[in-house]
Structure formats: C-alpha cells, structure tokens
Amino acid sequence: MKNDFFEEKLSGQYRNIPVSFVRSILNVAGQKEMISFAGGLPNPELFPVQELAEAAQAVMQKSGPSTLQYAGSLGYYPLREWIANRYRTKYNMNITSEMVVITNGSQQALDIMAKLFLNKGDSVILEKPSYLGAIQAFSAYQPNFYDVDMETDGANLMQVENAFLNYDIKLMYTVPNAQNPSGISYSEEKRLDLAMLLKKYEQFLLEDDPYNEICFEGEFPAPIKKHAPENVAWTGSFSKMVAPGLRNGWVVLPPELVPHFDKAKQSTDLNPNNITQYMLHHFLTNYDLDKHIAQIKKKYAEQCRFMVQMLEEYLPNECEFSEPSGGMFIWLTLPGSMRSDELVKRTLKRGVVFVPGNSFFTNGEGDKHIRLNFTNAGFADIEKGIRIISEEMRIMQQEILV
C-alpha cells in the first residue's frame, strides 16, 4: 500500500478542519513535570468521586438492565426533565422537557447544529476570538466565517447588524458567559439588544453556555434564549458543573427544531451514554448540586485571583490581560512584536505550556495573544509557570531590541 494511500482519499470536509493545538498538546502536558495552562480542564480535586461511585452502584442495583441497554436518542427523560425544571425556575424561562436533548458533551450539539444548517459556502458569524471547538465543528462543513470583534461587554452589535443586513447569514455562534478564550461576559443590555436583532432580522443563534453556573460573584444574567426563544438554541454541559468524563451535555431547542435535530443526531450516535445519564440524574436528585457548585466557584475564584497576582508581579508592564468574572481562562496580549507561537516553543523546553492565540481565529490573526487556563494547576505551579513565561518574554524582548 502506498504511503499516501489514505491522504488521497480524505474528504475536502475533513481537510478543512483545523488541528486543535489543545488536543495535540494534552499528550505533551501529560509528561512528568509539565505545567499546563493549555487545556480547559476542570480541577479534578473537585470531582464528586465518592458521590458518583455511590450513584453508579445505586443505579446498577435499581435499573441495571435498563442502563446497559440501547435507549432513546433524545436522552434519559428524567434528566431532561431535571434540566428543564432547573432553568425554568432559575431564569423564568419557557422550557419544557420536550425541548431538551441530551448530547455527548456540548461539542456534539455544535456539530449537529452545523450539520443541520450549513452548506458549503454558507456564512456563519463568529466572535473574534472564538472557541476553537466551534471553529473545528463548523469548518468541516466548509462555511464562510464573518468575524465580529469582542468588546468588554460582548460582541460588537453594530458589526453583527451589518452582517445581518449585507450577508446571507445562516447561523451566529456565541459564548455569552466567561467566553472561551477571552473570559468576556455579555452584559444584560447587550443580551437584550442581540435578542432584538435576531428577531428583527429573523436570524438564528447557537448560544454555547458551558460556564453558565461558574460565575465568581453572584450569577450571570439570563441567557439570550430567554429573550428570543424561537431564534436561539441554548447549550449547556455538566462537564464544568460535575465532571467532564461523564460526557453529558444538553441543548434546549425551539420545539419545531427538535425532530430535525433528533434525526441528525441518530445518524451520529444512536443514543447518548445511557449509564452516565442515570448516574448523573441520581447525583443531581440525591445530593446538593448548588453546594457543590459553590465549592467550585470559590476554588476557581481563588485560582483566578492568584494567577492575576502572579501576572501583575512577573509580567513585563507592556502586557495586557483580562480578569474574568467566571469560567476558566485568562486572555493575555503580548507586548511589541512578540509572537505567541514563538513564545510557547521556548516555554515548552522549560516545562510550561499554554495555547497560542491564533488557535482561536479563522483568519490568521491572534499571534499577539495567549490563553491561560487557571483551574487545573496548583498555586505553586501557577507561580512557577508564570515566572517562566515572564522570563522567556523578557529574553525575547532583549533579542528583538538587539
């Protein structure tokens, strides 16, 4: 067989998917002594291991055969009901169980929505920067991306409206809370204004909301979906609230879209992971989720504040960075003509890794930025890692001057 046998057969859709620096680097980050600020990994110290072990035993004893059987593609109904009840109460939203579909993490929802909406050459609005996983999911369907700038309170809505007016937009994508990678959260005013634009121009939004519950002080404003329910698909995930290994996410859809989403989903997975849905539902209904989330928020806020302190102490004064109100990431802008892809090569040699900013852009931008994850490193590693990054920055600055 020729060495290029498979290369010749790969599809154009596949070739259009950008490589994930984050996924590729996780192998490197697993090496001994490597300090990783790269992957968006929750803190494993906060996983409810004992509670989930008890949940697994309980559901196997009570419903063993059912948990091990094929199941409905929409997901375990009691779990869908729990999701609908929680957010109907929390945000006074019109959500019913029939509008909720369980997915294999929220990432699957992005892929299925792209499969439903996008033909080659269709236009998609993305925030700039945007979540790498969304760029990958959409890129497989070969769309044209229309990027809008992120401001301190959310996307630039003048640019959004201009796109609605002048382009045949098929879909808009946003992460409204503690955006990955920028850490920016939409203001309530901007959510209301975007909802108004969606209804005015009859546009559809995919609102990706994995950090909805991880606000350090109080709560984030209600989702955009509350204000434009027929124009928004709203996704969430238990990866940040409970544990990512369960692979349980969800999407709340307009009722008319549910059968189409279900049809597309059936071609992908037949049904979501059944046993982890049972386990998760047992955990949610037998333990205090809000107490658990409060512990997560407290810990992440402490880790975030500590990383901010280290950045202020060690970084060159010319650096700029965000201080997010929730989530898992800090977005940093490099000084002068420094490039993030060159910086990471240097820090990798010293056992520190982060994600260069160009991973989060569709147009080749981003080499002035880096994304730092603060949730999966202890305080000592945070200080050491930031110190090493800072030292390499200063060396690069001297080399540039020379």
Side-chain angles (χ1 to χ4, degrees), residues 41-42 47 52 104-105 237-240 242-248 273 275-277 279:
L41 303 181
F47 295 160
L52 289 174
N104 183 41
S237 174
F238 291 104
S239 293
K240 312 305 185 290
V242 184
L246 295 171
R247 305 313 303 133
N248 290 144
N273 189 318
I275 188 169
T276 59
Q277 291 182 83
M279 287 172 54

Side-chain angles (χ1 to χ4, degrees), residues 112-329:
I112 293 174
M113 291 298 295
K115 182 184 294 187
L116 277 175
F117 279 82
L118 301 181
N119 294 309
K120 182 177 180 180
D122 282 343
S123 295
V124 176
I125 295 178
L126 291 182
E127 297 160 335
K128 187 172 68 173
S130 191
Y131 170 49
L132 171 59
I135 295 173
Q136 284 189 300
F138 300 150
S139 292
Y141 301 90
Q142 300 176 286
N144 295 320
F145 291 118
Y146 184 94
D147 300 318
V148 297
D149 293 325
M150 283 293 281
E151 301 174 324
T152 57
D153 63 343
N156 182 317
L157 295 189
M158 289 184 64
Q159 294 176 6
V160 171
E161 185 167 22
N162 179 69
F164 288 163
L165 279 168
N166 296 297
Y167 298 90
D168 185 16
I169 300 297
K170 206 68 168 297
L171 182 68
M172 179 177 176
Y173 172 81
T174 183
V175 183
N177 294 317
Q179 193 234 26
N180 180 0
S182 71
I184 292 170
S185 298
Y186 279 53
S187 65
E188 185 169 16
E189 180 183 8
K190 187 149 283 189
R191 294 170 199 243
L192 290 167
D193 289 345
L194 178 54
M196 180 189 69
L197 290 177
L198 292 170
K199 291 186 285 189
K200 177 179 178 180
Y201 294 102
E202 297 184 338
Q203 295 288 343
F204 196 75
L205 174 72
L206 177 51
E207 182 179 12
D208 193 11
D209 203 5
Y211 311 105
N212 169 271
E213 300 275 4
I214 315 299
C215 181
F216 298 153
E217 298 291 338
E219 300 288 348
F220 289 119
I224 300 161
K225 180 163 180 70
K226 176 178 179 178
H227 311 297
E230 296 303 312
N231 301 77
V232 180
W234 180 49
T235 78
S237 174
F238 291 104
S239 293
K240 312 305 185 290
M241 284 191 274
V242 184
L246 295 171
R247 305 313 303 133
N248 290 144
W250 44 264
V251 58
V252 180
L253 300 164
E256 300 82 2
L257 192 57
V258 172
H260 301 293
F261 189 94
D262 187 28
K263 176 182 174 182
K265 186 175 183 295
Q266 290 171 22
S267 71
T268 302
D269 68 356
L270 299 183
N271 64 265
N273 189 318
N274 208 24
I275 188 169
T276 59
Q277 291 182 83
Y278 275 77
M279 287 172 54
L280 180 58
H281 182 258
H282 181 92
F283 171 79
L284 296 171
T285 53
N286 287 274
Y287 295 95
D288 189 341
L289 177 67
D290 290 317
K291 180 180 178 181
H292 175 68
I293 290 175
Q295 294 172 340
I296 294 173
K297 291 165 67 170
K298 180 175 183 294
K299 180 66 174 179
Y300 288 4
E302 291 171 352
Q303 290 176 286
C304 180
R305 282 195 295 269
F306 186 76
M307 182 173 277
V308 167
Q309 290 172 8
M310 294 303 97
L311 292 170
E312 291 174 341
E313 179 173 341
Y314 288 109
L315 287 185
N317 293 332
E318 301 89 341
C319 288
E320 298 178 359
F321 58 88
S322 64
E323 187 169 353
S325 58
M328 302 169 65
F329 304 107

